[in-house]
Amino acid sequence: MDFFSELCIGRKKGPSNLPDVLATDKAMALWQKAQRAGYVDEHYQPLLSRTQAALLADAMAERLGIKEKWKVFETLWNRRNMYRDYYKALNLQQSLSFQDEIKKLFR
């Protein structure tokens, strides 16, 4: 049994350091995929560049229906101005392939 499975047994919410919108069963499944892909560590912190982390946050927020995505992820990751990182990422060619990776991962 892996780390995320142990956390999810017998309860709806994930670890207490996650905001409720990022600790649902659906969110925990996305966190597990992101961790296995090497995108986040066991504390849900990004192991990616700022631009890639912003793309990951956007993809997670879209899948989970989070409206205030930047506020949620900026608080969790102790970052500011993630929307700037996101728009910068959209202008980088390498970001297109990373976005495709995320889409495949979160299917």
Side-chain angles (χ1 to χ4, degrees):
M1 184 171 296
D2 66 20
F3 174 75
F4 285 98
S5 297
E6 291 174 12
L7 289 173
C8 293
I9 292 175
R11 58 182 173 160
K12 290 260 187 205
K13 300 292 180 192
S16 60
N17 63 325
L18 287 175
D20 289 346
V21 295
L22 293 176
T24 63
D25 289 341
K26 186 174 181 180
M28 294 310 295
L30 295 180
W31 284 122
Q32 184 177 20
K33 290 177 180 183
Q35 186 183 37
R36 285 184 181 151
Y39 297 161
V40 296
D41 67 15
E42 67 275 7
H43 303 289
Y44 315 105
Q45 297 301 303
L47 299 171
L48 304 164
S49 69
R50 289 187 62 92
T51 53
Q52 288 176 324
L55 292 170
L56 177 64
D58 178 69
M60 287 187 74
E62 184 177 321
R63 293 284 302 215
L64 299 170
I66 299 172
K67 293 181 182 179
E68 295 186 7
K69 62 185 166 195
W70 303 130
K71 180 179 178 180
V72 170
F73 282 96
E74 285 175 356
T75 300
L76 177 64
W77 292 343
N78 195 29
R79 294 193 175 176
R80 299 177 81 176
N81 302 316
M82 284 187 69
Y83 69 94
R84 288 184 186 159
D85 296 332
Y86 175 75
Y87 288 108
K88 182 178 177 181
L90 294 181
N91 291 322
L92 299 174
Q93 184 64 32
Q94 68 202 37
S95 297
L96 296 175
S97 62
F98 184 69
Q99 282 179 303
D100 289 340
E101 284 180 40
I102 294 171
K103 286 178 187 176
K104 290 176 187 173
L105 183 71
F106 287 166
R107 280 189 186 163

